[in-house]
Amino acid sequence: MSATAGTPVRRPLRALLTALHATLVALLAAALLAAPQASARETAAPTATLTEITNFGTNPSSLQMYLYVPETVTEHPAILVAVHYCTGSGPAMYSGTEYASLADQYGFIVVYPSVTRASKCFDVASPQALRRGGGSDPVGIKSMVDWTVNTYDADTSRIFATGISSGAMMTNVLLGDYPDVFAAGAAFSGVPFGCFATTDGSEWNSACAQGTITHTAQEWGDIARAAYPGYTGPRPRMQLWHGTADDVLRYPNFGEEIKQWTNVQGVSQTPAATDTPRSGWTRTRYGGTGDQAPVEAISLQDVGHNLYSYGVMGPMAIAFFGLDEGGTAPQPPAGPCKVTVATNAWNTGLTANVTITNTGTTTVNGWQLAFTLPTGQTITNGWNATYAPSSGAVTATNASYNATLAPNASVTIGYQATHTGNSAAPGAFTLNGTACTTG
């Protein structure tokens, strides 16, 4: 029967249901496509606990990844990669350093790579490790960083690395391989990038460990730059720590690292500033004088390979990175002493009278006053104490007649020095290893 004008068309029920089903399917598909995907954070690591992350990306040497996320994470957080020593592990680095508690305080995320090979040492020697994207451990660590950036929408301009011993060597390697990824590093008892290089499959380079491999600053810089040929962008800043009595990775490596990273940064090997943040420590800064200088180097007198000190060095590394938001490295608390200095300068020389006051309640029997002369100053003679060395980090030792300093008593010592333009007085003093107030 044919339809006539004005008569409604009655579709069969089956056709109507089919059309309705197709419409619903199309609407549902559109809604699914338009809906935002589940945030990666919803399936990320729990907070305030160390968590192993698996399937984090390309991992040619089967490293393990451990992650610490504080309860309160800043928006677009920074990332710190904390690399363990030989025989260590990610969990050992977590429990043996204060980076997790610092993350709680400042809201950054910590990645702890962990070696699975028998030696538990990182590969800092193979040709693969010393080339960007070449393979081995650096590629796995880069994957950890990428996973964390993608999962937490991290700030790619604030990614840092630090490590101890083998981890310090890996810190050097990471900054050489991936200068476009890492903003800065802090290496505790390490060696320069490329110093440990081998081609026979060995993980150990005795010549480097013994401190017998030396190069010019330009040569060291070229070795680091060769890891990423053609890269012309900014280079990461570096903080270096080493003990003068290190018998595992000997102290000459410290000077070679300074040569390498000052050259990489394009700054002078002459320190822009020198001070003594603690007794026996000499800190030199290159290319700048603040807490975030291009290169900072801390030498620890008579300290061996295991120099890392919980509660002191970690915060100073964090300040160097700028992760403490204020950028001011913690200084030792002022002790029961006060030092005042009066200087009289002329065009090439000066005299300084230094008054030490015992503000404590017990008598000091025998004292040493440590301070750092400004760059360019050299002591030519002194009185009421002996001074050694004559420049840089100086220690003044009492004379036989003024070794005893009773409570509220003072002693005045002094020295004459030459200078090359900076006639300022030292800015910080420690008495028998304890910081004094100045005034």
Side-chain angles (χ1 to χ4, degrees), residues 111-353:
V111 174
Y112 298 92
S114 195
V115 170
T116 57
R117 65 177 62 89
S119 67
K120 299 300 178 68
C121 295
F122 285 92
D123 176 13
V124 295
S126 74
Q128 293 78 20
L130 298 175
R131 186 175 71 252
R132 176 186 174 83
S136 196
D137 296 349
V139 167
I141 295 173
K142 171 65 161 50
S143 295
M144 299 177 195
V145 170
D146 290 343
W147 184 94
T148 308
V149 167
N150 293 333
T151 302
Y152 292 94
D153 193 21
D155 184 348
T156 55
S157 70
R158 295 197 304 144
I159 298 172
F160 307 93
T162 187
I164 302 169
S165 189
S166 178
M169 293 192 280
M170 178 52 73
T171 297
N172 278 265
V173 169
L174 290 172
L175 269 58
D177 283 356
Y178 297 103
D180 56 331
V181 173
F182 293 94
F188 295 84
S189 303
V191 303
F193 177 97
C195 183
F196 240 62
T198 59
T199 56
D200 58 1
S202 172
E203 295 179 31
W204 190 257
N205 184 320
S206 294
C208 178
Q210 292 298 311
T212 61
I213 294 180
T214 61
H215 290 290
T216 66
Q218 183 66 43
E219 288 169 343
W220 276 125
D222 289 343
I223 290 170
R225 286 183 286 268
Y228 187 5
Y231 176 72
T232 58
R235 294 280 175 171
R237 298 179 299 109
M238 178 62 97
Q239 183 187 66
L240 304 165
W241 299 75
H242 222 104
T244 64
D246 192 329
D247 59 356
V248 177
L249 300 174
R250 293 192 181 273
Y251 187 67
N253 283 302
F254 181 59
E256 301 302 299
E257 285 180 295
I258 293 172
K259 287 195 288 186
Q260 182 172 65
W261 292 105
T262 51
N263 183 266
V264 166
Q265 279 287 333
V267 300
S268 172
Q269 293 179 58
T270 301
T274 303
D275 66 355
T276 307
R278 285 199 165 224
S279 179
W281 294 14
T282 301
R283 176 169 59 188
T284 48
R285 287 167 166 163
Y286 304 84
T289 59
D291 288 336
Q292 295 171 38
V295 179
E296 179 174 273
I298 300 96
S299 173
L300 283 68
Q301 185 66 36
D302 299 325
V303 174
H305 185 64
N306 297 322
L307 61 74
Y308 190 87
S309 177
Y310 188 101
V312 178
M313 297 176 178
M316 289 180 66
I318 292 302
F320 178 75
F321 297 151
L323 288 176
D324 63 349
E325 299 180 340
T328 300
Q331 299 298 325
C337 52
K338 180 179 180 180
V339 175
T340 58
V341 186
T343 60
N344 180 30
W346 56 96
N347 56 348
T348 60
L350 63 89
T351 58
N353 285 294

